[in-house]
Amino acid sequence: MTLKTTLKITAAAASLAILAGCASSGALEEVRMTAESAQADAAEARSIATQAQNTANQAQRDAQAALQMSEQNRDEMNRMFQRSMQK
């Protein structure tokens, strides 16, 4: 091989290496952006899940309060019935 041919091959190899590096950087940037997007989506999903859990907890408290009130009303109705039956 001549010196010119060797230099041409070396230049071509260097160009390919640089282009491959740029492509790798571009691919890495795309992967990074995808990961950041997925992370943002996960954070939003976590926030929505937390809100849903809080809503469910409030509904549970409301249901417990309604049950307690219902039991108190039933007890009061039973006492009223018993009083009316004694008369």
Side-chain angles (χ1 to χ4, degrees), residues 58-71:
Q58 183 62 46
Q60 180 68 30
R61 286 189 296 272
D62 291 347
Q64 289 293 336
L67 179 61
Q68 184 179 10
M69 187 178 291
S70 172
E71 289 172 350

Side-chain angles (χ1 to χ4, degrees), residues 21-71:
C22 290
S24 295
S25 296
L28 287 175
E29 182 64 22
E30 186 177 337
V31 167
R32 184 187 64 77
M33 289 174 60
T34 302
E36 287 176 354
S37 176
Q39 211 170 17
D41 290 346
E44 183 180 0
R46 183 180 299 121
S47 174
I48 291 169
T50 299
Q51 289 174 345
Q53 182 67 49
N54 290 341
T55 301
N57 289 340
Q58 183 62 46
Q60 180 68 30
R61 286 189 296 272
D62 291 347
Q64 289 293 336
L67 179 61
Q68 184 179 10
M69 187 178 291
S70 172
E71 289 172 350

Side-chain angles (χ1 to χ4, degrees), residues 8-28:
K8 285 181 184 177
I9 292 174
T10 304
S15 295
L16 286 175
I18 290 171
L19 288 175
C22 290
S24 295
S25 296
L28 287 175

